[in-house]
Every structure is written in structure tokens, then in C-alpha cells.
Amino acid sequence: RNIHISAAEPAEKFGGERQQDASEFAGWLLDQLHTDLNYSRARGPLMKLTASQEAVRREQPAIQSSWMEWQRFCYANGSVIKRTFFGQNSITITCPHCGYIQKTWDPWGQITIPIQNTPKGEASLQNLLTDIHAKPSTLEGYRCDQCKQVGPTTLQKISRCPDILILVLGRNEWNGHEHLKKKTVVRFPLDGLSLDPYFISLDGRESERLDDSFLAPFTYDCYVIIEHFGDNPKAGHYVALVKELDARNGKDKWFM
């Protein structure tokens, strides 16, 4: 089916004539395509696991439980969009008081990377990914489901890597009065970005049922960059840089 905008609703379906965020538009577009291409939409989501089923899943290797949770997600989300663009996070919540472990899973269509201002004014993409997927953090105000004590920690790791990876640099900052744009320079490799360090442990086990999205190595080459020019998030201009194969010499070439 085609996405049709009639003359009676010129720009309102896209948010009016206001400036829009490129990553939000990409997410909206992928959701629209998924809705139209989802051949499993009539099924509806599966029922939540029982307490006994949750207990069994906590004892399973992380890679196995992650694969099973992805199958549950795909039960009502069967489209090429989800298979191609969507990954999954495995979130482990550990109570330091009683040792109770809780696992949850979160599917995503893009990884949003918060950017912090640094003394040198620059940061590496790998270090920013490490801050998200390799360092435990404390859940403020969260109470353990078992002992009801405050202070469990959470560790988020990637548990499924998509064929096409979308990374969003979160440059929007609210200072209490207005939205500002963080100017930190983020350095990243154009080829050979590995997500292996941020992936869950295979626990020495691999199931023959797993597809490539669960089996390392996970290496990505960059072929599209969307840059925003402007001093604040509410104004400016977007420019797309796209890498294509030059048919004349068989080499990659970047176009603006």
C-alpha cells in the first residue's frame, strides 16, 4: 500500500511546516512501513510468562533466552522492516542485597547515544557505546521485586544485531530554559565498527537454531551519514552524505 498525502492535508501528517528531527522521521517512516508490511498483525502479542516460566528463563543462558524472547516479539511483528532494522537489548537487573536477578528484553529500531560535554570537546563512538552497554548503573528509587530494598543495578547489553544499524547521536540538551545543541565532536570508523564488545555473552553455548543476527562477529561499515547544521535543535539544515559504488572504477565514492 502507498502512503498518500492528499491536498486537503498537505503537511500536517508530517507534523506541519515546523522543523522536524531526522531520526524521529526515520522512526516514523519505518513504523509506517512495518504496519503495512506486517503479515502477523492479526495475531496480537503473546501472553506474559507466568512466574514459574520466568524462573526457568532466569536460569537459561543469556543467548538462548534472548533468542526465545525475540521469537515471542516476532510472533505479532512479522515484517521485513523488523527483521532488517530492529535489534534487541538484554537488560539484567541485580539486587545487591538479596542477589535476585531479573531479566527483561527491549526491541529497538535505532540506538540513541547520549553525548556528554568533554574537556577536549571530542569523544569516540566506541567509548560512548561502552558507557551504554558495558557499564552497570544504579536504578534510582527502584525496589527489588523480591526483598523490596532500594538500590538494584542494571546492565544493558545488545542481544540481537540487525542487518542495517541506525545510530543516533543525542545532541539535544535542556538547560532548564531552552534546548541547546551539544557540539562535542564524535569520532567513529567509516569501516569495521564492531559491536562484539557490547553483545551479551554466548556462555560457551550456541544453538543451531540461532540466525546470524545472534552470532558474532557483528561488524558494520558506514554508508550514510545525516548531518545537522545549526546552533540549536530547533533550526538549521540537514545534509545527507551517501556512499555508493562508482561503476566506472569499481570504487566507493561519497556523495553529498
Side-chain angles (χ1 to χ4, degrees):
R1 301 191 334 220
N2 295 324
I3 299 176
H4 176 66
I5 306 298
S6 68
E9 47 175 7
E12 290 308 314
K13 195 161 186 175
F14 293 98
E17 297 181 354
R18 303 183 305 275
Q19 294 248 351
Q20 301 296 326
D21 182 79
S23 64
E24 290 180 357
F25 173 75
W28 175 87
L29 180 59
L30 291 178
D31 283 342
Q32 295 292 318
L33 292 172
H34 165 66
T35 299
D36 277 359
L37 298 173
N38 184 12
Y39 52 80
S40 303
R41 68 170 71 90
R43 288 180 173 180
L46 292 170
M47 295 180 61
K48 292 185 177 180
L49 297 181
T50 64
S52 59
Q53 290 173 327
E54 287 280 6
V56 171
R57 189 166 63 169
R58 283 197 299 271
E59 300 301 322
Q60 293 176 332
I63 189 66
Q64 181 179 352
S65 56
S66 296
W67 183 87
M68 294 176 64
E69 188 64 22
W70 178 254
Q71 303 312 307
R72 288 176 56 83
F73 171 74
C74 290
Y75 178 81
N77 293 279
S79 77
V80 66
I81 300 299
K82 296 299 182 184
R83 293 195 303 271
T84 305
F85 291 92
F86 269 59
Q88 180 192 63
N89 283 338
S90 174
I91 304 170
T92 303
I93 302 173
T94 305
C95 178
H97 305 287
C98 67
Y100 180 73
I101 296 177
Q102 180 182 359
K103 294 180 180 179
T104 61
W105 287 264
D106 181 31
W108 46 262
Q110 55 192 24
I111 299 178
T112 300
I113 304 172
I115 297 178
Q116 304 297 330
N117 293 320
T118 62
K120 294 183 178 180
E122 65 178 56
S124 72
L125 179 61
Q126 290 89 332
N127 287 342
L128 294 176
L129 287 169
T130 298
D131 291 339
I132 301 175
H133 297 292
K135 295 182 179 179
S137 59
T138 301
L139 292 171
E140 299 294 339
Y142 184 86
R143 294 184 179 276
C144 172
D145 288 348
Q146 180 165 278
C147 71
K148 310 304 180 184
Q149 293 291 317
V150 177
T153 60
T154 179
L155 179 61
Q156 177 175 273
K157 304 281 282 188
I158 299 174
S159 52
R160 182 190 190 270
C161 286
D163 291 338
I164 300 178
L165 175 67
I166 301 177
L167 300 177
V168 179
L169 302 181
R171 296 189 177 276
N172 191 7
E173 179 182 29
W174 175 252
N175 65 358
H177 303 285
E178 60 180 340
H179 287 278
L180 303 176
K181 179 182 175 182
K182 295 181 180 178
K183 301 296 183 66
T184 301
V185 175
V186 178
R187 303 196 179 279
F188 57 92
L190 289 178
D191 299 302
L193 173 66
S194 174
L195 293 190
D196 293 5
Y198 323 110
F199 201 80
I200 59 174
S201 171
L202 294 179
D203 298 320
R205 307 178 187 181
E206 294 182 8
S207 170
E208 60 183 12
R209 298 180 300 175
L210 300 182
D211 56 49
D212 291 343
S213 60
F214 288 86
L215 300 175
F218 307 106
T219 306
Y220 293 88
D221 296 336
C222 181
Y223 69 95
V224 172
I225 301 172
I226 298 179
E227 293 184 325
H228 177 264
F229 293 91
D231 292 330
N232 64 76
K234 291 188 176 181
H237 191 72
Y238 281 110
V239 171
L241 308 175
V242 183
K243 182 172 69 174
E244 295 183 0
L245 181 65
D246 192 332
R248 293 171 298 182
N249 54 26
K251 296 182 179 180
D252 291 330
K253 186 174 181 180
W254 284 90
F255 296 87
M256 177 182 288

